[in-house]
């Protein structure tokens, strides 16, 4: 995941030739400061990202990768996002202004984000 919201995936074909595919995470490219990835049991890649501002939502995307005729393809689906509690609590709004880390609890489990 790049700082402008692009995702690059490199996969090996049957003859060990690397193939790279890239897509934009949203309709428009946006600023990404922190990101993390996790993998589902069904083989999807989940991306969590933030622009670093605690007033902005933490966004999630599901990446579906496919191998079609020895070409890697990627479909990106936006998932529900959430706002941090400190962004809506008037007593904490000015105290916590930045998001410095986004981390899945487990690489193979997408149920918990720290």
């Amino acid at each position: 995941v790049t700082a402008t919201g692009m995702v690059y995936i490199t996969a090996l074909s049957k003859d060990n030739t690397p193939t790279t595919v890239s897509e934009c995470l949203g309709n428009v490219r946006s600023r990404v400061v922190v990101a993390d990835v996790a993998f589902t049991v069904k083989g999807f890649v989940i991306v969590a990202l933030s622009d670093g501002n605690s007033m902005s939502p933490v966004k999630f995307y599901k990446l579906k990768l496919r191998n079609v005729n020895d070409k890697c393809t990627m479909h990106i689906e936006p998932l529900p996002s959430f706002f941090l509690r400190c962004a809506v609590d008037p007593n904490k709004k000015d105290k916590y202004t930045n998001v410095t880390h986004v981390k899945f609890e487990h690489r193979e489990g997408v149920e918990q984000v720290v």
Side-chain angles (χ1 to χ4, degrees):
V1 178
T2 68
T4 59
M6 292 293 291
V7 176
Y8 291 86
I9 301 288
T10 300
L12 294 176
S13 64
K14 292 178 185 176
D15 60 355
N16 289 331
T17 305
T19 303
T20 301
V21 62
S22 63
E23 291 285 336
C24 185
L25 282 172
N27 292 336
V28 294
R29 293 170 72 172
S30 59
R31 182 172 183 251
V32 176
V33 174
V34 291
D36 195 21
V37 297
F39 308 94
T40 68
V41 294
K42 294 184 178 181
F44 301 127
V45 178
I46 304 297
V47 176
L49 58 89
S50 170
D51 67 0
N53 185 343
S54 65
M55 300 296 283
S56 299
V58 176
K59 299 177 183 178
F60 295 88
Y61 297 91
K62 178 169 38 171
L63 282 58
K64 299 177 184 179
L65 305 173
R66 290 197 155 166
N67 185 3
V68 178
N69 298 328
D70 278 341
K71 279 192 164 185
C72 183
T73 62
M74 177 174 26
H75 173 74
I76 298 175
E77 178 182 328
L79 296 174
S81 303
F82 66 83
F83 284 91
L84 302 176
R85 182 169 291 182
C86 66
V88 295
D89 186 344
N91 297 326
K92 297 179 181 178
K93 191 180 287 189
D94 296 328
K95 187 176 180 182
Y96 302 104
T97 58
N98 297 324
V99 176
T100 58
H101 296 80
V102 173
K103 197 89 168 141
F104 284 101
E105 184 81 23
H106 304 285
R107 288 276 174 227
E108 294 83 23
V110 295
E111 294 82 23
Q112 299 171 343
V113 177
V114 183

